[in-house]
Amino acid sequence: MTVPWRRQGRTEHLVLPGVLTAEQAAETVAGILAVQREDGAIPWFRGHHLDPWDHTEAAMALDAAGEHTAAARAYEWLARHQNEDGSWYAAYHDGEADRPTDRGRETNFCAYLAVGVWHHYVATGDDVFLDRMWPSVQAAIEFVLRLQQPGGQIGWKREAPEDGGAAVDDALLTGSSSIFHALRCALAIAEEREEPQPDWELATGALGHAIRRHEGRFLDKSQYSMDWYYPVLGGALTGDEAKARIDARWDAFVVPGLGVRCVLPNPWVTGGESCELALALWAVGESDRALEILQSIQHLRAEGGMYWTGYVFEGNRAVWPEELTTWTAGSLLLAVAALGGDEATTAVFGGERLPRGLEPECCR
């Protein structure tokens, strides 16, 4: 595949030894762009579905690679197709807004727009974009916080309208940790616009306290690696507490030379989880281990620059499922961008310019 030199120049900062050359990075970015529809939608791959969270992750990767116009189009797709209650549906066939395939409305999917919008703003300084996206961010956050429980945790979804549309009170640690990150980004946007949101601050503090001190308020999904590292990736746990959490289950989830298991005890490593763990490691100052994880999943890179979702490493060893997803490629680009010092990516995942000290005074 021939990659335009213009894009190669934009991705020189994504070079990482044993992970990406500038040419390989440019090829991966071109692969994501090739999947993006003209209207801005970024499905997992063409013919599959789009979900708002992974769509946003892929858009953030485009911003990290300097493809700001394409990233803005992705966010504008969300703004155009937001439901009246501030949500989006969980899945749309091939990114076609009029063909939702799952009309449930998942809170962490909806909140994540704030992370992408803040990332784009830090990358570009585009005040006009921020003003244009603010109503969508505000509506999405209000939708999410209507599902917050008395203990601070966030109910994980609202059922599809045809199933009654009821709020599901059960909370997921991974989802709520992602929402915690999104709320802090939303508060940063509000501060930039000089529109304080004290109710959001209180909600964020309560959610962070629940994640840090009351894990029993969440459904037990401890067999999933995301529940292991997401409190760190989302910024709820930092410093020594974050490092201790990572170390406690390292041997359970990390397969040396292959990557990170998705779920125990299955012999299946996945690229997305591996890259997200690398981001979490970088955030707590463990860049060497982050680099090792990213190097270990190069067996998932396919011809053309995209990445297989995962690999079964015992029994009938094989790439599985046989799909090259934009969000897997996006997660790798974001992890490399963080290790490479990309300003917007380090600010968003390192917590620079995000509010701190939001935990209720009684609980500090």
Side-chain angles (χ1 to χ4, degrees):
M1 177 179 182
T2 301
V3 180
W5 285 105
R6 178 180 66 84
R7 287 186 183 144
Q8 287 185 8
R10 286 188 183 189
T11 53
E12 286 178 355
H13 67 288
L14 294 175
V15 172
L16 195 61
V19 180
L20 286 178
T21 65
E23 184 175 17
Q24 287 174 329
E27 190 176 43
T28 299
V29 174
I32 296 174
L33 289 169
V35 175
Q36 186 177 32
R37 293 162 49 103
E38 289 186 8
D39 62 3
I42 310 176
W44 286 22
F45 50 89
R46 292 311 301 267
H48 197 55
H49 74 248
L50 173 153
D51 74 72
W53 200 104
D54 290 310
H55 166 90
T56 297
E57 183 172 46
M60 291 173 67
L62 293 178
D63 264 326
E67 295 287 350
H68 303 310
T69 299
R73 287 171 48 230
Y75 298 125
E76 288 160 1
W77 186 92
L78 289 171
R80 286 196 306 274
H81 302 300
Q82 191 170 24
N83 295 322
E84 290 185 4
D85 63 0
S87 70
W88 291 272
Y89 297 128
Y92 301 83
H93 175 72
D94 199 32
E96 296 180 18
D98 60 351
R99 295 183 65 188
T101 54
D102 181 347
R103 299 216 308 159
R105 289 155 286 170
E106 299 190 19
T107 48
N108 70 301
F109 282 14
C110 298
Y112 210 61
L113 171 68
V115 180
V117 167
W118 181 241
H119 183 257
H120 184 84
Y121 177 72
V122 176
T124 65
D126 188 343
D127 291 309
V128 174
F129 169 84
L130 201 66
D131 291 344
R132 190 164 66 246
M133 294 302 300
W134 171 244
S136 289
V137 170
Q138 192 172 30
I141 295 301
E142 292 294 339
F143 167 80
V144 169
L145 292 182
R146 286 194 289 273
L147 275 73
Q148 187 164 34
Q149 304 302 303
Q153 70 274 27
I154 308 288
W156 77 278
K157 73 172 183 175
R158 188 173 285 280
E159 297 283 7
E162 59 268 26
D163 295 327
V168 176
D169 294 339
D170 290 334
L172 301 172
L173 182 60
T174 293
S176 283
S177 297
S178 177
I179 292 169
F180 178 79
H181 188 201
L183 287 171
R184 293 173 71 207
C185 290
L187 285 166
I189 295 169
E191 182 178 352
E192 190 69 28
R193 290 180 47 81
E194 299 183 351
E195 294 194 32
Q197 303 290 325
D199 290 346
W200 294 5
E201 292 180 9
L202 292 172
T204 305
L207 175 58
H209 178 70
I211 294 168
R212 284 186 287 270
R213 301 290 175 256
H214 297 284
E215 197 163 323
R217 293 176 182 171
F218 302 90
L219 294 177
D220 181 9
K221 301 289 183 179
S222 56
Q223 73 272 33
Y224 289 89
S225 60
M226 295 176 80
D227 261 30
W228 164 50
Y229 64 75
Y230 246 87
V232 178
L233 179 62
L237 291 181
T238 58
D240 290 342
E241 196 171 10
K243 291 179 181 179
R245 184 179 183 90
I246 294 296
D247 288 343
R249 305 199 73 190
W250 181 270
D251 291 338
F253 285 112
V254 176
V255 182
L258 290 177
V260 176
R261 293 177 190 256
C262 177
V263 57
L264 298 174
N266 298 356
W268 181 45
V269 293
T270 47
E273 278 80 356
S274 299
C275 295
E276 288 180 341
L277 174 62
L279 262 176
L281 289 166
W282 167 84
V284 296
E286 297 276 358
S287 293
D288 288 346
R289 283 208 287 184
L291 176 59
E292 289 176 7
I293 292 292
L294 294 178
Q295 290 173 335
S296 75
I297 61 166
Q298 292 316 297
H299 62 100
L300 296 178
R301 185 177 176 91
E303 184 177 354
M306 298 297 278
Y307 290 79
W308 299 109
T309 297
Y311 176 74
V312 177
F313 58 87
E314 291 180 1
N316 295 324
R317 302 183 182 191
V319 165
W320 184 84
E322 292 189 13
E323 56 184 32
L324 299 168
T325 46
T326 52
W327 51 268
T328 300
S331 67
L332 180 116
L333 291 174
L334 287 171
V336 171
L339 267 69
D342 174 64
E343 180 182 0
T345 307
T346 58
V348 168
F349 290 100
E352 289 180 43
R353 299 173 63 180
L354 296 183
R356 300 180 185 274
L358 297 171
E359 190 163 348
E361 289 186 10
C362 65
C363 304
R364 293 176 188 169

